[in-house]
Amino acid sequence: MKKNRRDFLKICGISALSATVPAAANASNKKVFTDNEDFSMLYDSTICVGCKACVTTCKQVNDLASEQGKFDEENLWDSPEKLDSNTRTIIKLYKESPEKHAFVKKQCMHCAKPSCVSACPVSAMQKADNGIVFYDKDICIGCRYCLIACPYNIPKFEWKKPIPKIVKCDMCKFTNFKHKGITACAEVCPTEAILFGKRGDLIKIAKKRIKEHPDIYINHIYGEHEVGGANCIYLAGVNFNKLSFPNLPNPSAAALSENIQHTIYKGFIAPIALYGTLCFVAFRNRKSKKEGDNEQS
Amino acid sequence: MFSLQSGGLSRRSFLKFSVSAASIMGLPYASGVKMAKAAEHKNRPPVIWLHFQECTGCSESILRSTHPDVDSLLFEMISLEYHETLMPGSGIQAEEILHQALEKYKGEYLLVIEGSIPSDDNGFCKIGGKEAYSMLKDASKYAAAVISIGSCSSFGGIPAVIPELTNARSVEELIKDKPVVNIPGCPPNPYNFLSTILYLLSFEKLPKLDDKKRPLFAYGRVIHEHCERRPHFDSGRFAEEYGDKGHRLGYCLYKLGCKGPATFANCSVQRFNDVGVWPVSIGHPCIGCTEKDILFKREISDHIRIHNQTPPNFYPSVAPKKKDKPVDLRAVAAVSGLAGVALGAGAVMIKKLPDEGDDNEEK
Amino acid sequence: MSSHKEYEILNRKIITPSFVILSILTAIGFYFIGVRFFEGIGAVSNLSDAYPWGIWIAYDVATGTAIACGGYAVAILVYIMNNNHYHPLMRSAMLTSLFGYGLAGFSVVIDLGRFWNMFNLLKPQFWQLNSIMFEVAMCVMTYTFVLFLEFCPAIFEKLQESENYGLARLSEKFSIFLDKYLIFFIILGITLPTMHQSSLGSMMIIAAFKLHPNWHTPILPLLFLINCIFIGYSIVIFESITSSFKFGRPYETSQLAGLGRVARFLALGWIVIRLTDLFVRNQLMEAFSFDYYSVMFLIESGLIILGSVILMSRHNLKSPRKLFISACLIVLGGGLYRFNTYIIGFDPGVGFSYFPAFGEFMITVGIVSFEILLYSIFVKIFPVLPAAHKNEAIGGSNV
């Protein structure tokens, strides 16, 4: 008899939980997260000449060390192969054939609904009112959940240091943007492949470019809608997959995760209800057992 | 005033010179005209040039300038009151001229110092019975400004290298109460000096100097940042030995000891002798002759450390490379070992455990 | 008064051969922990930007706490269902839980890059309520404290025998207090794991694009919750049989059979939910496609199914050998599920792979050895293990 009640209660609990979750899952893509007034950067791969001035200037302005390549015994060059704890932005080359190639700039996408911000338990990753997603090492506990959460694999960690921190582009929030109102990479770019400005304006420019030169551009602004939209948007002349941009759907995973979590824990009702129910069941069982013992004796 | 035309220098050539002097300094065209006007001034500004522990290479360098050439400089632009190499006289009368000039042009003259100076009156450098240091002190007392031409006067140069037998010092170490401009180099490009003089005369103030008192227009960038062989460096193409294939093809000379990455100078831009050569262009690495910590202190063949690294010419690929990390055998061994022990212990236990349960059970 | 006859102190030598081996392993682990603190996490581990979480999170935290859910699982039976039949197992399960969670917390401190800031979790101005990890951290910290409280009766029971009169009286007072009010903390200690064990699953929801669809689903919290419960029962079976075997005590097969029944029901139910979820997400075909990820899914499910099926027979439910085998299979399968969700099924798509480094592995081994070591010492000092004579349900005792 006890077994049956136990089993029954368990089935109830499981059904209740599983009923709520799909409802929460569907609620994820309702809100719009992008804001036309947020600061953004537009990178146009067809204009970039691969001079790497942005890489060098970013390092100088943000006080980043050089990366010694394996081939470089004397440490003559700064040769990062990808973003890492010394490199907040990088230019990579996609070579399709001896005649066709494209450069691509990688850095934090400054998502409109950032997964890193949602994941961080202590608010070390924050999104400013102007759209910049930045990091505060004084709050950070180094749990690296932001590395797990970011769909673009942007945040990097200083694995080799006993006092490590997370490193990623923060649109020069405390450096160039603070003093001059523009990111260092956009400021130094000699061909204006990197434009800095308000998201609404940059989207308009991007759309215009696609419209006026459909032969040059792929008809897609990467970052316009991916995972809820990003403030760093891209134009290119080759398929974005070839530039190692992942195919990401619109709904942000952060929104999904938050929806599920908040549905379960909204107002802390469920945990308190659970506690209350358990107390109720426990004391009732205890009482009935006492009565049963009394009856027997 | 001498007529420029009678001196054989056409006004056109003169203006050209002024403008080119201005352009070397990165000044706008109008400044060149102003400089020309200043040079035409009635009173050619007095310049007193003293030689101390030097090789006279700096003076020789000036002699090889063509715009202006030395005679135009001396007869039309400045009044060189005293210069031991160039002046025809010598002896007591020549020394008299020096004293008269120091008196007459009090507060007006430019003092140019060539060569390092012993820091005390130790007798290693005496001219006309006078100690060098005393001469320097006396001469600089009423100078408008002091220009140290060459590395020896700018930071000590070769006489200041250990064991420093003469206790050689630079001008700026000994003269603290006058504006000092350093024009280092061994020898320096004459146009660095001439442009500075002209700037001083025209604008009556010093050009912008760096923290080592060198004019920024000439010493504002390291050679590495404006060298024609830089693309070879960025691409990793080096001459490894004198005369090898790379050397003959004009590759970067870093591995032969080029001090370009740490040397602030404009040799690669201004070049020498008006034939457009400088050491690197003919295959010899820069020896860092404008830098106190490099010249005669570092071996020519020493590789200088690069700060402020920049990316090389090659690009990382968008396609992530498969990491060929060597497998940590100890880890694999440890994991397998533990798994083996656990399975073994489990198997032993399973064998030994009874298969029948207790007869006394509640249900 | 507590029935001191229900639990007893194990009367064995503390220093035994296994004690020595475990101590050596612990020492090696602690050496590498030292290296980690002086030279950085990268010096001892193979963690990377592509794989920021490795065995310290997947095993020590995610799987280790599931294994430590024995206390939670048995507490549900004993205190909510008021089934005193399982009461003798309560303290050993609770102790395992206490050590399991305590050392999971210790592992977290080692894994955290900026551990000195972890007190920021206690400052409301930094609370980021959208973060699943925040909730897990707060729950686990609270739960560890509750577990410690739940273990206090054993401590006070021992102290009551103390020769120090004052200490004995004080312990008696505390025991009386706990007798009355501990139930509220115990129920809290059932609420909390329900929250954070399910949230351990929710943690991976945000990695939607990097976790293989064999494992990523919106019902991850549900799956992790049921998973931890059946692992909890199985680990109690495992631990009880191992203790009895090692210390030559009778096997508590009457209780264990009951636990086995619950575990098998939950495990098979879990499999059904899992398959249904895969079907609903159109992932079922791929899960059986026999590629690397499919194989891992099949192994994890197979282990659980096999373990559960063995427990279908009445005879097996009472056989220590079969119980032990099943418990091992279910724990391995259930644990593998968690490993799959955190590491094996996780692929950020940048051509990296992860296998623990030697130091990293030895730290985990050291911590587990330390836990076993502490457990074996505690059962010889405090009354934890069930008393050796027959256990009729002794009524009236709440702790």
Side-chain angles (χ1 to χ4, degrees), chain A residues 6 117-120 122-123 137-145 147-148 150 153 157 159 164 261-262 275 285, chain C residues 42 48-49 52-53 79-80 111 113-114 117 120 126 128 130-131 135 183-184 191 195 203 209-210 218 262 348:
Chain A
R6 179 199 324 142
V117 170
S118 172
C120 182
V122 287
S123 323
K137 74 177 197 299
D138 294 321
I139 313 176
C140 173
I141 59 176
C143 70
R144 310 183 299 282
Y145 194 16
L147 273 76
I148 296 277
C150 177
N153 300 312
F157 187 72
W159 296 103
Q261 181 77 344
H262 292 319
Y275 187 79
N285 278 345
Chain C
S48 62
D49 291 323
W53 285 351
Y79 295 109
I80 307 302
D111 180 82
R114 299 176 68 83
N117 277 340
N120 286 345
F126 296 129
Q128 209 277 101
N130 290 328
S131 165
E135 187 238 309
I183 183 66
F184 292 103
T191 314
M195 292 165 66
M203 285 239 284
F209 312 109
K210 301 198 273 192
V262 182

Side-chain angles (χ1 to χ4, degrees), chain B residues 17-33:
Chain B
F17 147 66
S18 303
V19 167
S20 66
S23 72
I24 291 171
M25 304 183 75
L27 295 168
Y29 180 81
S31 308
V33 176

Side-chain angles (χ1 to χ4, degrees), chain A residues 44 47-51 188-195 209:
Chain A
D44 190 330
I47 306 181
C48 174
V49 294
C51 72
V188 82
C189 178
T191 57
E192 291 190 348
I194 310 170
L195 288 180
R209 285 188 193 174

Side-chain angles (χ1 to χ4, degrees), chain B residues 202-245:
Chain B
S202 316
F203 300 105
E204 286 164 17
K205 63 175 184 187
L206 298 176
K208 274 212 190 80
L209 305 176
D210 69 4
D211 58 338
K212 297 192 172 88
K213 299 194 167 63
R214 306 176 295 194
L216 277 170
F217 75 87
Y219 302 92
R221 275 203 298 202
V222 290
I223 295 285
H224 191 54
E225 293 297 322
H226 49 200
C227 170
E228 71 265 22
R229 297 198 181 191
R230 180 62 186 271
H232 288 304
F233 174 87
D234 285 341
S235 301
R237 294 187 286 259
F238 298 104
E240 309 267 351
E241 282 179 16
Y242 291 101
D244 72 0
K245 173 168 170 248

Side-chain angles (χ1 to χ4, degrees), chain A residues 140-142 162, chain C residues 36-37 108-110 112-119:
Chain A
C140 173
I141 59 176
Chain C
R36 173 261 175 272
F37 281 113
V108 166
V109 172
I110 296 171
L112 284 181
R114 299 176 68 83
F115 52 90
W116 55 90
N117 277 340
M118 65 185 174
F119 298 106

Side-chain angles (χ1 to χ4, degrees), chain C residues 91-398:
Chain C
R91 269 194 196 167
S92 36
M94 207 56 86
L95 187 62
T96 312
S97 290
L98 175 61
F99 285 140
Y101 271 84
L103 290 171
F106 183 52
S107 298
V108 166
V109 172
I110 296 171
D111 180 82
L112 284 181
R114 299 176 68 83
F115 52 90
W116 55 90
N117 277 340
M118 65 185 174
F119 298 106
N120 286 345
L121 278 165
L122 299 173
K123 299 180 191 170
Q125 70 262 32
F126 296 129
W127 287 357
Q128 209 277 101
L129 299 176
N130 290 328
S131 165
I132 319 273
M133 181 183 279
F134 169 75
E135 187 238 309
V136 172
M138 300 305 271
C139 271
V140 167
M141 284 195 286
T142 317
Y143 184 58
T144 311
F145 173 67
V146 168
L147 281 171
F148 172 71
L149 273 182
E150 293 184 36
F151 189 66
C152 280
I155 299 176
F156 291 133
E157 211 173 280
K158 162 122 184 145
L159 287 180
Q160 274 174 5
E161 317 285 336
S162 158
E163 272 145 28
N164 182 335
Y165 183 67
L167 196 59
R169 286 286 301 160
L170 199 62
S171 310
E172 206 181 301
K173 279 216 174 86
F174 274 123
S175 285
I176 296 172
F177 172 81
L178 283 176
D179 262 3
K180 267 201 259 184
Y181 296 110
L182 195 62
I183 183 66
F184 292 103
F185 286 99
I186 292 173
I187 296 179
L188 185 63
I190 293 173
T191 314
L192 290 171
T194 310
M195 292 165 66
H196 69 250
Q197 283 296 333
S198 61
S199 293
L200 276 174
S202 303
M203 285 239 284
M204 293 309 278
I205 292 180
I206 204 169
F209 312 109
K210 301 198 273 192
L211 179 56
H212 193 275
N214 281 359
W215 290 279
H216 185 270
T217 156
I219 66 163
L220 267 170
L222 180 66
L223 290 173
F224 263 65
L225 179 61
I226 303 176
N227 170 285
C228 99
I229 300 179
F230 69 67
I231 289 183
Y233 289 127
S234 306
I235 206 70
V236 171
I237 296 174
F238 171 88
E239 179 210 290
S240 162
I241 294 183
T242 311
S243 289
S244 301
F245 177 79
K246 199 167 171 353
F247 301 128
R249 308 168 84 255
Y251 297 98
E252 291 117 21
T253 43
S254 57
Q255 285 96 340
L256 298 181
L259 293 183
R261 266 190 280 264
V262 182
R264 123 193 131 195
F265 169 78
L266 285 175
L268 289 174
W270 183 86
I271 292 281
V272 167
I273 297 176
R274 190 103 161 77
L275 290 171
T276 312
D277 165 71
L278 284 168
F279 173 72
V280 164
R281 287 187 296 116
N282 293 322
Q283 193 58 27
L284 205 55
M285 288 298 283
E286 199 180 322
F288 283 87
S289 65
F290 285 98
D291 67 354
Y292 174 71
Y293 294 107
S294 163
V295 167
M296 295 313 289
F297 162 74
L298 292 170
I299 294 178
E300 120 210 333
S301 309
L303 285 168
I304 294 174
I305 294 176
L306 184 59
S308 309
V309 158
I310 291 179
L311 290 179
M312 292 283 219
S313 103
R314 257 206 130 140
H315 168 264
N316 290 348
L317 277 169
K318 289 177 235 155
S319 150
R321 179 187 297 173
K322 299 286 170 29
L323 278 169
F324 180 76
I325 295 175
S326 296
C328 286
L329 288 173
I330 293 178
V331 169
L332 277 173
L336 181 59
Y337 170 73
R338 290 177 175 236
F339 258 76
N340 281 339
T341 308
Y342 272 83
I343 304 182
I344 298 173
F346 183 80
D347 180 10
V350 290
F352 268 67
S353 62
Y354 166 78
F355 189 81
F358 181 65
E360 188 180 2
F361 182 68
M362 293 315 289
I363 288 180
T364 296
V365 168
I367 289 179
V368 174
S369 307
F370 189 47
E371 177 186 340
I372 302 175
L373 201 64
L374 283 177
Y375 184 87
S376 63
I377 294 173
F378 266 56
V379 298
K380 292 170 187 167
I381 298 180
F382 296 103
V384 174
L385 292 177
H389 60 261
K390 286 286 166 266
N391 304 314
E392 292 97 53
I394 302 168
S397 155
N398 287 335

Side-chain angles (χ1 to χ4, degrees), chain B residues 116 151-153 155-161 295-296:
Chain B
S116 62
S151 294
C152 291
S153 53
F155 54 74
I158 203 168
V161 170
L295 181 67
F296 306 126

